[in-house]
Amino acid sequence: MVQEIKPRAAFAWGAVFMLSALLSPPVKAADEHNVAVTPQEHYKERETFVPTLPDELLETKPLRLDIAFNTIHPANSPEADAFLKRWYETLSSYPQDVTLSVSKTILPADYAYVVSLTFKNWEAYRAHETRPEFLEYYYDDWRPNVPKREERLTLLDTVVE
């Protein structure tokens, strides 16, 4: 049996929805990112090696984020090079201690580029990930230009030193 919705009732529900939307504070991209979380809290929903690593390593050793990706532009084109230059200039303008590098892939040919960001420790990594300027760049420039990527976050350990 199909229940008929009266126009007045539909209007009332629409008004309630609109009113609640207007009274709710705006959601910003940074709202979903919290700086003060531990690696265990941040990755609790994902399969990682975090549980196998001593906490002091996670909190004190450098981390490197490597992102292999393709852009919407042809590989090694002037447009792709301009995007890479913009990425480097944008991220290097942030006042934080991060080492950046850009590489062009030889093989495997799945991704044309790799960018690497090396952070002093977990806190520096999270400060970068939650920085409003970075989030603005990520949503406005990176995502529209990078349709496919693969990320690896690694701990730079001293086992072999």
Side-chain angles (χ1 to χ4, degrees):
M1 179 172 146
V2 177
Q3 184 176 5
E4 183 182 341
I5 298 176
K6 307 271 187 212
R8 192 175 268 182
F11 176 77
W13 278 111
V16 168
F17 174 76
M18 291 300 292
L19 183 60
S20 66
L22 289 171
L23 295 177
S24 299
V27 176
K28 298 177 184 161
D31 292 344
E32 66 189 51
H33 300 276
N34 182 358
V35 177
V37 295
T38 65
Q40 294 83 351
E41 293 168 330
H42 187 66
Y43 294 114
K44 68 183 175 192
E45 304 287 326
R46 298 175 72 183
E47 186 177 337
T48 69
F49 286 105
V50 167
T52 68
L53 298 167
D55 290 345
E56 66 274 2
L57 287 181
L58 288 168
E59 294 167 8
T60 61
K61 295 292 181 185
L63 296 171
R64 185 176 62 225
L65 177 62
D66 294 313
I67 308 167
F69 65 97
N70 294 317
T71 70
I72 60 172
H73 311 291
N76 302 308
S77 67
E79 297 85 1
D81 286 350
F83 173 78
L84 294 171
K85 186 179 278 190
R86 199 167 56 247
W87 174 85
Y88 187 85
E89 290 171 353
T90 300
L91 271 62
S92 63
S93 72
Y94 302 155
Q96 61 194 25
D97 190 19
V98 60
T99 304
L100 306 171
S101 69
V102 177
S103 306
K104 292 185 177 183
T105 304
I106 294 174
L107 90 109
D110 297 336
Y111 298 100
Y113 309 102
V114 177
V115 293
S116 297
L117 299 87
T118 304
F119 302 93
K120 182 173 76 171
N121 55 26
W122 175 257
E123 185 179 340
Y125 167 70
R126 291 300 297 152
H128 167 78
E129 289 276 299
T130 58
R131 176 179 221 64
E133 297 90 343
F134 168 73
L135 292 169
E136 181 179 342
Y137 166 78
Y138 177 77
Y139 288 108
D140 293 348
D141 197 5
W142 176 268
R143 285 188 61 176
N145 283 286
V146 178
K148 184 177 177 187
R149 72 182 186 285
E150 184 177 301
E151 298 183 12
R152 300 227 186 273
L153 180 62
T154 57
L155 175 71
L156 302 180
D157 200 357
T158 56
V159 171
V160 294
E161 289 183 353

